[in-house]
């Protein structure tokens, strides 16, 4: 869990700052998440630009934009990551649809940005372990 006093990693902090407009132009929830992980996951500018229309419940199916961006990034890495992310996000926010999340008042929009970013941060660290450990790469290849 991250405290308000400080974040343990820079990507979550960057996503949060993108969303609240701290030190930059304010972005919507989907843009905030995708922009924060641009370098980590080698995201193309086109993908980030496509997130402009996905904030405030306008992502496909009315899902949360932070969830939508996180899912698209996670599934680029591994389909299993996307499934785990869906379960994680639903547990954290109470739903996947923006309107429902807002109605539940379990997690504010900035919280959705943070939760999506926390998950992406975790899989980016897992990926670095794999990338730096040839034995782990072989182990995963056998699965």
């Amino acid at each position: 869990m991250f405290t308000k006093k400080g974040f343990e990693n820079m990507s979550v902090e960057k996503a949060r700052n993108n969303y609240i407009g701290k030190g930059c132009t304010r972005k919507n929830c989907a843009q905030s998440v995708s922009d924060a992980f641009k370098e980590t996951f080698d995201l193309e500018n086109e993908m980030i630009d496509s997130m402009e229309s996905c904030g405030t419940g306008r992502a496909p199916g009315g899902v949360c934009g932070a969830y939508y961006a996180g899912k698209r990034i996670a599934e680029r890495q591994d389909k299993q990551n996307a499934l785990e992310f869906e379960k994680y996000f639903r547990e954290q926010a109470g739903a996947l649809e923006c309107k429902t999340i807002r109605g539940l008042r379990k997690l504010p929009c900035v919280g959705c940005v943070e939760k999506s970013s926390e998950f992406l941060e975790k899989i980016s660290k897992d990926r670095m372990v794999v990338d730096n450990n040839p034995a782990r790469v072989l182990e995963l290849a056998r699965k």
Side-chain angles (χ1 to χ4, degrees):
M1 189 66 137
F2 297 101
T3 65
K4 289 186 178 186
K5 290 182 181 177
F7 288 89
E8 292 180 16
N9 62 71
M10 296 303 292
S11 296
V12 175
E13 183 177 10
K14 183 175 181 183
R16 183 179 197 286
N17 287 342
N18 284 343
Y19 186 75
I20 64 173
K22 184 177 179 182
C24 63
T25 302
R26 189 179 186 283
K27 296 171 176 59
N28 71 33
C29 51
Q31 290 171 307
S32 296
V33 172
S34 58
D35 181 70
F37 288 90
K38 180 179 179 175
E39 289 84 22
T40 305
F41 292 103
D42 289 327
L43 304 179
E44 304 84 17
N45 287 330
E46 295 78 30
M47 180 181 179
I48 295 166
D49 292 345
S50 74
M51 297 295 164
E52 185 176 357
S53 64
C54 294
T56 61
R58 294 177 293 151
V63 299
C64 166
Y67 165 75
Y68 179 72
K71 182 178 179 189
R72 286 201 45 205
I73 295 167
E75 67 190 3
R76 287 171 58 125
Q77 302 309 304
D78 181 314
K79 296 293 182 195
Q80 187 62 36
N81 283 340
L83 295 173
E84 289 173 19
F85 176 61
E86 181 175 332
K87 180 180 176 190
Y88 168 81
F89 192 87
R90 190 182 300 272
E91 288 172 358
Q92 299 297 312
L96 301 179
E97 298 77 20
C98 180
K99 186 175 182 178
T100 305
I101 294 168
R102 287 179 176 198
L104 292 171
R105 297 179 184 256
K106 182 176 178 180
L107 195 64
C109 294
V110 71
C112 291
V113 169
E114 291 170 342
K115 294 303 176 186
S116 290
S117 298
E118 288 170 10
F119 187 89
L120 292 173
E121 187 68 32
K122 177 195 175 299
I123 65 172
S124 75
K125 288 179 182 175
D126 290 348
R127 187 178 83 176
M128 287 190 315
V129 168
V130 170
D131 289 348
N132 293 319
N133 184 344
R136 180 77 173 122
V137 172
L138 290 173
E139 176 188 329
L140 289 174
R142 291 184 190 129
K143 288 185 178 181

